[in-house]
Amino acid sequence: MAVSSAPGKVYLFGEHAVVYGEPAVPCAIERRATVEVSARSDGRLRVDAGDLTLDGFTVEYGGDGAPDVDVPQSLVQAATGYVDGAVAQARDAADAPDVGFDVAIESAIPLGAGLGSSAAVAVAGIDAATRELGVELSTEELAERAYRVEREVQSGEASRADTFCSAMGGAVRVEGDDCRQLDAPNLPFVIGYDGGAGDTGELVASVRALREEYDFAADTVEAVGDLVRRGERALDEGDIAELGRLMDVNHGLLSALGVSSRSLDAMVWAAREAGARGAKLTGAGGGGCIVALDESEASRTALGYTPGCVESFRAELDFEGVRREDG
Ligand code: PMV
């Protein structure tokens, strides 16, 4: 048996624009997905998913036909697509095409809410499954293979941001294929979650259409890129006040691109009015999570009273990426 965990992430800056080659800065947060894997000789796959936003379920299947379970098929696909992909990558890396696995997933990262739950499952799953087969991948190769899983499940629409960040931990910078780690101070993140999720594929497509139709939308995407470069400087200087100001502007630009929502805006404003240094939506948008910077408890308290916010929590920058949990 092998057990690995990997962190979720927030976008400090740059989601959506990263799809068009602009830089983005995601940061790993102290909320993890843990995947336990045992090889089995009959080639079958059994997946046990206990997720924060799903009632736990177990599926068992053997390559032909859909899994037979009593929950909506879309949820099963969301949960198993990444696991299937991770298993395929591990089989490929270990040159063991016929091996089966028992897989158990525990995740404290809400699904599809902009916190990178699928990337964390892919990273931890590939790491545990390859180690179970006696193969040690470098963190770079792990990130690359996890990226391939996301790209495949999301029909080609994925950047390297989530998977690289989850594998490496800390703050990272992603610009096209160029991924690197950044020096960053400890960042006092507060997350607000509206209990919902946006459809990443649809939201990416809507920004693409806007950008093709209007020059101002293309300019907005470029403006996000400029903002990210300023943000990198502020991060390097440990200038939390400037980071907060830039987060506020980044949220405004994302709103202009049409990817915010009433509940995301309400949570962003609640955090700002409570004295947060800055606040923005994180990830694809449409619903899900916001991230605020606040050293005090004021934003969390305010989010607790904000209609539309179902959960808020503190999640500091996690300097550790993928981690072995089996000693
Ligand atoms: O909501 P998430 O965590 O899947 O983030 C999506 C980020 C986008 O920039 C909108 C798309 C991408 O793959 O980078």
Side-chain angles (χ1 to χ4, degrees):
M1 182 189 77
V3 189
S4 298
S5 72
K9 63 101 220 332
V10 292
Y11 273 92
L12 191 56
F13 307 115
E15 54 272 88
H16 283 288
V18 71
V19 174
Y20 309 99
E22 301 292 346
V25 178
C27 295
I29 54 167
E30 287 169 342
R31 280 252 161 166
R32 289 186 166 252
T34 303
V35 183
E36 181 185 307
V37 176
S38 305
R40 49 192 280 172
S41 53
D42 62 2
R44 289 175 70 81
L45 203 54
R46 178 190 151 99
V47 180
D48 229 319
D51 189 279
L52 192 73
T53 48
L54 282 183
D55 288 336
F57 66 85
T58 301
V59 290
E60 186 164 338
Y61 49 111
D64 51 339
D68 177 22
V69 284
D70 189 21
V71 290
Q73 204 55 35
S74 57
L75 279 185
V76 177
Q77 272 162 9
T80 58
Y82 295 95
V83 179
D84 280 352
V87 163
Q89 287 297 328
R91 285 174 172 152
D92 179 60
D95 200 15
D98 300 322
V99 68
F101 292 102
D102 286 329
V103 180
I105 304 168
E106 291 275 345
S107 177
I109 311 166
L111 258 190
L115 298 186
S117 67
S118 53
V121 167
V123 167
I126 297 172
D127 189 62
T130 47
R131 289 196 300 106
E132 172 70 356
L133 299 176
V135 174
E136 295 270 343
L137 300 181
S138 68
T139 316
E140 286 74 15
E141 183 173 353
L142 186 60
E144 173 61 30
R145 286 186 178 273
Y147 163 66
R148 284 186 217 154
V149 173
E150 282 226 310
R151 195 182 51 190
E152 200 165 304
V153 178
Q154 293 164 202
S155 320
E157 290 277 18
S159 71
R160 292 173 186 276
D162 283 27
T163 40
F164 184 76
C165 184
S166 184
M168 296 292 171
V172 306
R173 175 190 206 275
V174 174
E175 185 172 5
D177 292 346
D178 181 35
C179 304
R180 54 187 77 180
Q181 290 185 282
L182 298 176
D183 282 334
N186 197 9
L187 296 170
F189 291 130
V190 174
I191 314 284
Y193 174 40
D194 70 5
D199 182 324
T200 300
E202 257 174 40
L203 290 152
V204 169
S206 73
V207 172
R208 188 181 297 284
L210 203 67
R211 188 172 161 271
E212 276 163 16
E213 181 158 5
Y214 299 107
D215 287 347
F216 70 76
D219 293 346
T220 303
V221 168
E222 274 183 42
V224 172
D226 291 343
L227 179 148
V228 175
R229 284 180 276 272
R230 293 290 290 261
E232 280 175 65
R233 245 180 287 159
L235 199 58
D236 193 44
E237 289 159 8
D239 188 344
I240 305 274
E242 174 73 352
L243 287 174
R245 278 193 292 275
L246 292 171
M247 286 169 75
D248 285 344
V249 178
N250 198 162
H251 182 77
L253 295 173
L254 287 164
S255 287
L257 293 172
V259 297
S260 191
S261 71
R262 182 187 285 260
S263 57
L264 294 174
D265 283 345
M267 292 190 288
V268 158
W269 277 106
R272 287 177 185 163
E273 285 174 1
R277 305 294 194 121
K280 63 183 279 295
L281 68 85
T282 172
C289 291
I290 63 119
V291 55
L293 272 191
D294 192 349
E295 295 93 339
S296 80
E297 281 304 302
S299 295
R300 267 208 69 187
T301 308
L303 285 166
Y305 292 105
T306 305
C309 177
V310 302
E311 197 193 343
S312 66
F313 51 91
R314 183 170 280 294
E316 312 237 335
L317 183 63
D318 191 342
F319 290 95
E320 213 177 349
V322 64
R323 184 165 79 204
R324 280 182 183 197
E325 302 288 356
D326 48 16

